[in-house]
Amino acid sequence: MGSETWRDRGLHAQVVNSLGQEIVEGSYAQGDILNLDRLSERFAVSRSVLREALRVLQSLGMVEPRQRVGTQVLPRQSWDLFSPQIIHWRGLGDYFTQMREMLELRLGIEPVAARLSARLMSDAERQAVSRAAAGMVAADLAQDGRTYLEADVEFHTLILQGAGNTVMAHFASTVEALLRTREQEKRFTITDYTPPSAHRHNDLADAILAGDEDAAYRHAYATIDATLTEFVQESSGVNGSAD
């Protein structure tokens, strides 16, 4: 019984990930009706496992069951685009567009979080931010992309969670998921952009450590804005080379 339950969970996850990725990539278009009989045969799962998987996609705003019609694929505007799961799927195929959209959003949130963190963080929290920034600089020098990513995730998580705002703290999981999409890209390794980025993070950490709210806001904005510019440039290069 236990092994069967584990197997169902594995099949459930496989169906969720496969269908979610296919919807994101456009294999199923807005308005398409998912044929449960075909999907059940394709994945070799019971209807109950399939329905449970579709309930997960429904909770993410990607599909909706309609009476006498079936389960219909919803437009992107309905999706929970802050969900780490959807961020992961988009990162596999819609990487540059998602990064641009999310960085534009982060420009409006993280500088404010940095200002609040500079005001509200405890000494221990400030020191943790400083250590994370120093870890990014050290990882860059060591050409260690994985350690750099982990320090980057910790850095932004600390600031968003240290702002004294539960909504900003919740946004930290979205930012983490976004940063981790770099694991699927060549950018996961250290690049020419990394040294100046690491030092911008360090400048922001120094401002928070000093309790300088205006400098924290300014450095946070500069950090994200530079990354946005970088991604727009890279996206143009990718699109240009595809022409």
Side-chain angles (χ1 to χ4, degrees):
M1 180 75 173
S3 62
E4 195 173 356
T5 302
W6 176 88
R7 183 171 179 272
D8 282 349
R9 286 178 178 173
L11 291 171
H12 164 264
Q14 178 187 348
V15 175
V16 169
N17 281 305
S18 295
L19 289 179
Q21 189 70 60
E22 289 170 3
I23 291 171
V24 165
E25 292 174 351
S27 298
Y28 294 100
Q30 172 185 340
D32 281 356
I33 303 299
L34 300 180
N35 186 303
L36 269 61
D37 289 330
R38 290 178 187 165
L39 290 174
S40 182
E41 182 178 352
R42 171 189 166 190
F43 291 107
V45 297
S46 66
R47 291 288 287 261
S48 62
V49 170
L50 183 58
R51 287 195 188 95
E52 183 59 31
L54 292 176
R55 276 195 285 271
V56 173
L57 296 177
Q58 182 183 359
S59 73
L60 296 172
M62 302 182 81
V63 301
E64 183 176 69
R66 299 190 184 278
Q67 196 170 15
R68 294 189 296 275
V69 174
T71 299
Q72 188 172 43
V73 176
L74 296 178
R76 181 163 300 195
Q77 297 92 313
S78 300
W79 302 356
D80 179 6
L81 297 176
F82 291 164
S83 162
Q85 210 160 4
I86 291 182
I87 287 171
H88 171 75
W89 291 328
R90 291 189 72 194
L92 293 172
D94 197 16
Y95 180 67
F96 285 107
T97 299
Q98 176 172 247
M99 286 299 298
R100 176 185 58 77
E101 291 175 345
M102 293 300 293
L103 284 164
E104 288 170 349
L105 176 64
R106 290 174 64 192
L107 273 176
I109 296 175
E110 292 190 57
V112 177
R115 180 189 292 278
L116 291 170
S117 288
R119 180 191 310 166
L120 300 172
M121 272 186 164
S122 66
D123 288 342
E125 290 171 327
R126 295 174 200 272
Q127 291 292 338
V129 171
S130 185
R131 285 194 299 272
M136 293 176 70
V137 173
D140 168 49
L141 292 173
Q143 297 286 292
D144 186 345
R146 181 166 296 281
T147 298
Y148 185 92
L149 174 63
E150 294 303 326
D152 195 14
V153 168
E154 182 181 8
F155 180 88
H156 290 284
T157 297
L158 286 167
I159 291 174
L160 286 163
Q161 291 181 344
N165 182 301
T166 54
V167 177
M168 289 180 178
H170 185 72
F171 188 61
S173 63
T174 297
V175 172
E176 176 177 359
L178 183 70
L179 291 173
R180 292 194 183 282
T181 61
R182 293 188 177 186
E183 292 175 333
Q184 291 103 38
E185 294 292 323
K186 64 181 176 120
R187 285 180 43 83
F188 178 51
T189 59
I190 302 296
T191 71
D192 291 341
Y193 294 114
T194 310
S197 178
H199 287 289
R200 280 190 293 268
H201 282 76
N202 205 57
D203 289 340
L204 171 53
D206 287 344
I208 290 175
L209 195 61
D212 189 334
E213 298 178 32
D214 290 341
Y217 183 100
R218 186 171 64 252
H219 287 303
Y221 192 96
T223 297
I224 298 169
D225 188 49
T227 305
L228 174 59
T229 299
E230 164 193 338
F231 271 94
V232 169
Q233 290 172 347
E234 286 198 15
S235 178
S236 298
V238 168
N239 293 334
S241 64
D243 290 341

